[in-house]
Amino acid sequence: MTDSNTKTSESESNKKIYTASLVFEYPLIGNITNQTNLEINQLGLRKLEIFYKDKLQNLNAEAQSLNISLTSNQKTLNQRLKIIHTNQQQVQIALNNYTHKNDKIKNLIDILE
């Protein structure tokens, strides 16, 4: 019986078995340089993750601030539009009163100012 790493030699008087094997040893942690490079790259990756996480938080905060500002400005604009509309109504009423001779020109001028 022979296997792949065993050779049998037979002669008339005796039989000799020769066995050859190769032993490969490699440390479980791998090459030290590779391990160092891996750790350096992992630290670089972590640094980028932190950088972009902070950048995302800053952008979210800025977007929230802009949203609050837009909401506030929209309320102010709506209030001013109401005032303008009210003033236009007052001017129209004063103009109608003046044209129908129900009011004096002085009242129309006062409202226009």
Side-chain angles (χ1 to χ4, degrees):
M1 179 171 118
T2 64
D3 57 24
S4 64
N5 63 352
T6 304
K7 176 154 175 87
T8 304
S9 171
E10 293 185 34
S11 64
E12 293 180 36
S13 63
N14 65 7
K15 185 177 186 179
K16 293 182 182 178
I17 298 176
Y18 300 96
T19 304
S21 64
L22 296 173
V23 177
F24 294 99
E25 290 186 19
Y26 196 74
L28 291 177
I29 61 169
N31 187 334
I32 298 297
T33 304
N34 289 342
Q35 185 66 27
T36 303
N37 288 337
L38 177 64
E39 290 174 359
I40 289 171
N41 288 328
Q42 285 174 336
L43 289 173
L45 179 62
R46 181 67 180 135
K47 181 180 175 183
L48 286 173
E49 286 174 352
I50 290 170
F51 173 78
Y52 285 113
K53 181 180 176 185
D54 288 345
K55 192 164 187 81
L56 179 62
Q57 287 176 344
N58 290 341
L59 288 173
N60 284 337
E62 188 175 333
Q64 187 176 11
S65 173
L66 288 171
N67 192 21
I68 291 170
S69 176
L70 284 172
T71 302
S72 174
N73 289 337
Q74 182 67 42
K75 287 179 184 178
T76 302
L77 179 62
N78 288 340
Q79 290 172 347
R80 289 183 181 176
L81 287 174
K82 284 181 185 179
I83 291 170
I84 290 171
H85 183 69
T86 301
N87 287 343
Q88 286 176 339
Q89 287 177 336
Q90 289 175 348
V91 167
Q92 189 62 41
I93 290 170
L95 184 60
N96 286 341
N97 286 340
Y98 174 74
T99 55
H100 292 96
K101 307 284 187 207
N102 295 336
D103 212 350
K104 297 179 182 178
I105 189 76
K106 183 179 182 312
N107 291 338
L108 179 60
I109 292 172
D110 289 343
I111 289 176
L112 290 175
E113 290 179 343

